[in-house]
């Protein structure tokens, strides 16, 4: 069998006395220790964050899947080479009927992001031997295309149409939810995830009715704003960064009126993770929010205006 010539990357590594697989030297020690690096990350990082059980469970699922992948290769999961990550991506993208996972590019990117978070933590914590300068997960993302296709087309909505649509929504709860999306550029999942402690309102009728209103530590001493956690802090949110967004006079008025009339139904003992601000029997779901938006004829408006808000800020 003819030996394959070295790639330009391998040639460059040889000329500069660099290794294309620098983590291989760490494997003997990792194999000896009884400490699981992923468990350290979970204990030191995930367990200190305000994460839902679903988010913690998904991290655990991805880590277990990665361990199995590396076990089949015969390598410790904490010291992968670039080709190991690329092989993982290939398995994830391969259709199920061909023996793969059949995941979309979006799902693969999310799994890589979670694995990368653990690896970056190892690079930052001095007790781990992984150092800056080599991250196989980041490197793989630059070499393997994982572009998410956008196929939907949305019509443009004039200010006049928008104004008429909003006026037609007479239900106070619905209008409040819709205006939060329109004015702050929030996704449906972010709105449905909002809790009372995320809102800080001054001169509000509801402050006495809800002692937890505006109590989230991320708000600090700021007033008239809402806290939007990142996707790492609250399951269902998609933004990488947390946000503190101002509430203008119109939003404050809507929130004040809605929350003042909102039924409490024995709260807060029923909700260990914080009292949901919007709900119907239980927590408001994204599906419910989408359904009544469609019934009121404004999902396209929300999409376009949310997109414009993000592009400006």
């Amino acid at each position: 069998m003819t030996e394959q010539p070295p790639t330009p990357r391998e040639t460059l590594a040889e000329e500069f006395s660099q290794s294309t697989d620098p983590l291989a030297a760490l494997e003997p020690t990792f194999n000896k220790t009884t400490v699981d690096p992923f468990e350290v990350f979970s204990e030191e990082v995930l367990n200190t964050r305000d994460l839902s059980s679903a988010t913690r469970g998904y991290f655990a699922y991805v880590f277990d899947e990665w361990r199995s992948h590396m076990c089949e290769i015969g390598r410790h999961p904490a010291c992968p080479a670039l080709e190991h990550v690329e092989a993982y991506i290939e398995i994830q993208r391969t259709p199920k009927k061909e023996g793969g996972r059949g995941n979309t590019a979006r799902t693969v990117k999310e799994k890589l992001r979670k694995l990368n978070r653990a690896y970056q933590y190892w690079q930052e914590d001095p007790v781990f031997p992984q150092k800056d300068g080599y991250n196989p997960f980041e490197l793989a993302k630059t070499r393997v295309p994982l572009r998410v296709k956008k196929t939907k087309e949305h019509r443009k909505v004039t200010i006049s149409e928008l104004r008429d649509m909003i006026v037609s929504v007479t239900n106070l709860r619905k209008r409040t939810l819709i205006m939060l999306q329109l004015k702050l550029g929030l996704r449906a999942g972010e709105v449905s995830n909002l809790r009372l402690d995320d809102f800080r309102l001054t001169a509000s009728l509801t402050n006495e009715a809800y002692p937890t209103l505006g109590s989230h530590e991320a708000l600090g001493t700021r007033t008239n704003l809402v806290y939007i956690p990142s996707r790492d802090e609250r399951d269902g949110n998609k933004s990488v960064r947390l946000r503190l967004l101002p509430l203008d006079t119109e939003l404050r008025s809507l929130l004040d009126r809605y929350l003042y009339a909102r039924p409490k139904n024995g709260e807060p003992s029923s909700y260990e993770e914080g009292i949901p601000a919007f709900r119907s029997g239980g927590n408001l779901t994204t599906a419910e929010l989408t359904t009544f938006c469609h019934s009121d004829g404004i999902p396209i408006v929300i999409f376009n205006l949310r997109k414009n808000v993000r592009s400006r800020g």
Side-chain angles (χ1 to χ4, degrees):
M1 187 174 181
T2 305
E3 184 178 348
Q4 293 293 325
T7 65
R9 181 171 176 267
E10 293 170 337
T11 300
L12 196 63
E14 182 178 356
E15 291 176 350
F16 283 96
S17 300
Q18 299 292 324
S19 173
T20 58
D21 188 9
L23 300 182
L26 307 178
E27 187 174 27
T29 304
F30 271 116
N31 285 333
K32 290 179 183 178
T33 183
T34 59
V35 177
D36 184 335
F38 288 100
E39 289 184 2
V40 175
F41 168 75
S42 298
E43 181 67 27
E44 298 293 327
V45 179
L46 300 185
N47 290 351
T48 62
R49 309 294 291 274
D50 180 24
L51 301 180
S52 69
S53 57
T55 298
R56 297 178 195 278
Y58 192 58
F59 267 99
Y61 168 77
V62 172
F63 292 162
D64 284 342
E65 187 180 62
W66 174 253
R67 290 189 190 97
S68 298
H69 168 71
M70 294 299 284
C71 182
E72 292 179 5
I73 292 174
R75 185 70 167 263
H76 192 282
C79 45
L82 172 61
E83 55 265 29
H84 300 150
V85 182
E86 291 179 331
Y88 175 78
I89 295 174
E90 185 61 28
I91 291 172
Q92 295 294 316
R93 297 194 303 178
T94 301
K96 289 184 177 180
K97 63 181 180 181
E98 298 177 18
R101 295 284 184 175
N103 285 324
T104 64
R106 189 185 302 277
T107 299
V108 178
K109 289 174 71 174
E110 180 61 23
K111 289 183 176 182
L112 287 176
R113 191 186 67 82
K114 284 177 165 48
L115 292 168
N116 191 38
R117 281 202 63 200
Y119 190 86
Q120 288 178 331
Y121 167 74
W122 300 337
Q123 288 182 308
E124 295 168 359
D125 192 326
V127 306
F128 286 92
Q130 289 91 343
K131 303 303 178 186
D132 290 339
Y134 177 71
N135 183 330
F137 296 102
E138 287 288 354
L139 191 56
K141 287 194 295 184
T142 65
R143 290 164 55 98
V144 181
L146 289 171
R147 185 171 299 173
V148 178
K149 294 181 180 180
K150 295 183 179 180
T151 57
K152 294 182 179 179
E153 293 185 3
H154 300 270
R155 71 177 180 87
K156 294 183 179 180
V157 179
T158 66
I159 295 297
S160 177
E161 287 178 298
L162 174 61
R163 189 176 292 116
D164 291 341
M165 289 176 181
I166 297 301
V167 169
S168 70
V169 181
T170 57
N171 181 281
L172 181 59
R173 176 174 178 265
K174 289 184 179 183
R175 181 178 288 193
T176 304
L177 290 166
I178 291 166
M179 292 302 287
L180 283 169
Q181 288 191 272
L182 290 177
K183 289 205 167 191
L184 302 182
L186 300 181
R187 297 177 173 91
E190 291 171 331
V191 174
S192 64
N193 271 338
L194 286 170
R195 303 171 184 170
L196 291 180
D197 58 324
D198 297 330
F199 291 99
R200 175 73 57 75
L201 304 172
T202 58
S204 171
L205 298 171
T206 56
N207 284 321
E208 291 185 8
Y210 299 106
T212 63
L213 190 70
S215 61
H216 199 292
E217 60 181 9
L219 295 171
T221 59
R222 304 173 185 88
T223 58
N224 294 327
L225 76 170
V226 60
Y227 169 60
I228 311 298
S230 70
R231 59 189 180 187
D232 295 325
E233 296 177 67
R234 197 166 296 174
D235 186 40
N237 288 5
K238 294 185 178 180
S239 178
V240 176
R241 300 178 180 84
L242 61 85
R243 286 165 290 161
L244 291 171
L245 303 177
L247 299 171
D248 65 11
T249 303
E250 184 178 18
L251 278 178
R252 294 201 303 274
S253 176
L254 279 170
L255 284 165
D256 206 24
R257 290 159 55 204
Y258 163 70
L259 292 175
Y260 190 72
R262 171 186 176 278
K264 291 195 261 187
N265 294 341
E267 296 166 341
S269 59
S270 302
Y271 300 96
E272 295 180 358
E273 296 182 347
I275 304 172
F278 304 99
R279 57 188 180 79
S280 180
N283 288 17
L284 172 71
T285 65
T286 303
E288 181 192 357
L289 182 56
T290 302
T291 298
F292 77 64
C293 283
H294 275 277
S295 68
D296 283 322
I298 62 170
I300 294 174
V301 180
I302 290 178
F303 178 86
N304 280 286
L305 200 57
R306 180 169 60 81
K307 181 178 179 183
N308 291 336
V309 168
R310 282 207 166 85
S311 66
R312 292 196 300 268

